[in-house]
Amino acid sequence: INPRTHADVMLLNPGEDCPEDLKHPYWYARVCTICHANVRYTGPGPKKGHILKMEFLWVRWYGRDLSAPGGFATRRLHRVGFIDRDESTAFGFLDPDAVIRGVHMLPGFAYGELEGQRDTAQALLSKRDEDQVIWRFYYVNM
């Protein structure tokens, strides 16, 4: 996983409270940056007071487009788009151990880009303008 070149990842869907027709086995995210912090453990046990290195990912979440069914039964790729950046759930922290693998997202060029939005995380990491484009939809390449 590299936020500059291969930033999209997939992980198992932890939710079991979804209705059956909305269930999808995976969640998708774009890694904005890879972080680590030195934290002091204050919990019970023999490691109390020790400083531990904790690694985590800062990600922007994709949401599945439910108006476009996808999968093997429909013979179409799943369509996703970024959760609106003004939503409180658009960005989050993720344990790297939860990542199954990197995933290739194909931009839905026909739907255009989101007006007035640029990928600020990618802009910080790259000098190229095309890396900053946020497309309205992406297809999950299987």
Side-chain angles (χ1 to χ4, degrees):
I1 307 303
N2 184 335
R4 292 183 185 150
T5 57
H6 303 294
D8 298 314
V9 297
M10 65 188 296
L11 56 146
L12 286 176
N13 181 352
E16 298 177 8
D17 298 336
C18 277
E20 195 61 38
D21 58 335
L22 298 180
K23 280 197 175 183
H24 186 70
Y26 305 108
W27 280 4
Y28 305 99
R30 175 166 291 172
V31 176
C32 298
T33 188
I34 300 170
C35 307
H36 76 273
N38 293 323
V39 297
R40 184 178 307 272
Y41 180 70
T42 61
K47 293 189 177 193
K48 185 173 182 162
H50 287 188
I51 294 177
L52 305 170
K53 183 177 181 180
M54 179 182 215
E55 296 180 346
F56 53 95
L57 306 173
W58 179 48
V59 299
R60 183 170 184 187
W61 293 105
Y62 286 102
R64 206 161 53 100
D65 181 15
L66 300 177
S67 67
F72 291 111
T74 60
R75 296 183 186 136
R76 296 175 193 265
L77 296 175
H78 291 286
R79 190 164 73 186
V80 297
F82 283 116
I83 294 175
D84 185 19
R85 65 180 176 193
D86 296 330
E87 295 284 327
S88 63
T89 57
F91 294 90
F93 294 103
L94 181 63
D95 181 357
D97 291 337
V99 172
I100 296 174
R101 59 169 294 164
V103 65
H104 185 234
M105 294 291 185
L106 303 166
F109 295 113
Y111 301 101
E113 59 184 90
L114 288 176
E115 296 298 322
Q117 288 200 32
R118 295 286 183 197
D119 192 342
T120 54
Q122 291 295 331
L124 293 173
L125 297 172
S126 175
K127 304 278 190 256
R128 301 181 313 182
D129 283 341
E130 62 266 17
D131 288 345
Q132 302 173 32
V133 173
I134 297 289
W135 298 99
R136 188 170 306 280
F137 293 110
Y138 294 85
Y139 292 99
V140 180
N141 198 5
M142 293 198 259

